[in-house]
Amino acid sequence: CGATSRVIRCAECMVDPLPLAAVRSAGLLRGPLRRAVHRLKYGGRRPAAASLAELLLAPVAQLGPLPPDAVVVPVPLHPDRRRERGFNQAEALAAPLAAALGRPLRPAVLRVRATPTQVGLSRAQRRANVRGAFAPAESLPAQAVLLVDDVTTTGSTLGSAAAACLEAGAAAVYAVTLAREA
């Protein structure tokens, strides 16, 4: 989940691992980064996404070299939430990141079930909340996937989206987020 070093898994990931090769974040969800994430996500500050996406280059580098066929996949919003917000913040971050990495951006995952907000839910509740919320939108035969989202708390959303990528045939799924809750 990125909460500890590359070598050691956190206690929660040892007991209940996610279907992800690795997750890295640009920083902790506090201070200026928290404000920037909230302004992007809830304030509709889409133009800031390109600058914020630059912060994702360091965590991508921490993952090590990605396979040459790796594709960038934003974590999708349910269509109702996207209409409400006017855009998908993960997609707004993923597009400039894909361009900077020279990798294709692929909408390879669909959000097929609306879910209540994850805020305030426990790890188990978050896992249950997003179980079955994602489905493959296209085939990813033996490709590596770099999932992109704004925030990771327990990794439940990333794990559920990663499961859909693996179902689509992905060889491995890595993830990067702007921020991680401490």
Side-chain angles (χ1 to χ4, degrees), residues 86-168:
F87 73 108
N88 175 358
Q89 70 279 358
E91 187 177 313
L93 294 166
L97 177 63
L101 296 173
R103 305 294 178 134
L105 179 69
R106 302 265 298 273
V109 177
L110 297 172
R111 187 91 177 226
V112 294
R113 186 171 59 77
T115 56
T117 181
Q118 299 272 74
V119 175
L121 298 181
S122 70
R123 182 179 180 92
Q125 290 169 323
R126 285 171 180 258
R127 292 271 177 109
N129 190 39
V130 293
R131 190 172 295 118
F134 300 97
E138 60 183 83
S139 180
L140 295 165
Q143 288 182 288
V145 169
L146 178 63
L147 274 177
V148 178
D149 206 358
D150 58 342
V151 175
T152 185
T153 302
T154 64
S156 298
T157 299
L158 291 172
S160 187
C165 291
L166 293 169
E167 184 181 331

Side-chain angles (χ1 to χ4, degrees), residues 6-166:
R6 286 179 187 260
V7 179
I8 302 168
R9 287 185 176 185
C10 75
E12 289 175 341
C13 286
M14 288 176 70
V15 172
D16 189 14
L18 297 168
L20 290 155
V23 180
R24 294 293 177 266
S25 300
L28 294 177
L29 187 63
R30 52 173 73 140
L33 187 55
R34 180 184 186 91
R35 287 190 295 279
V37 167
H38 284 203
R39 286 177 180 148
L40 171 66
K41 191 171 186 171
Y42 305 117
R45 300 236 177 123
R46 262 191 287 193
S51 295
L52 291 171
E54 290 179 24
L55 297 175
L56 294 173
L57 292 171
V60 169
Q62 292 171 8
L63 294 171
L66 292 173
D69 66 346
V71 297
V72 177
V73 176
V75 172
L77 290 176
H78 187 271
D80 293 343
R81 180 77 41 90
R82 186 181 177 112
R83 272 191 297 279
E84 175 186 304
R85 223 171 253 163
F87 73 108
N88 175 358
Q89 70 279 358
E91 187 177 313
L93 294 166
L97 177 63
L101 296 173
R103 305 294 178 134
L105 179 69
R106 302 265 298 273
V109 177
L110 297 172
R111 187 91 177 226
V112 294
R113 186 171 59 77
T115 56
T117 181
Q118 299 272 74
V119 175
L121 298 181
S122 70
R123 182 179 180 92
Q125 290 169 323
R126 285 171 180 258
R127 292 271 177 109
N129 190 39
V130 293
R131 190 172 295 118
F134 300 97
E138 60 183 83
S139 180
L140 295 165
Q143 288 182 288
V145 169
L146 178 63
L147 274 177
V148 178
D149 206 358
D150 58 342
V151 175
T152 185
T153 302
T154 64
S156 298
T157 299
L158 291 172
S160 187
C165 291
L166 293 169

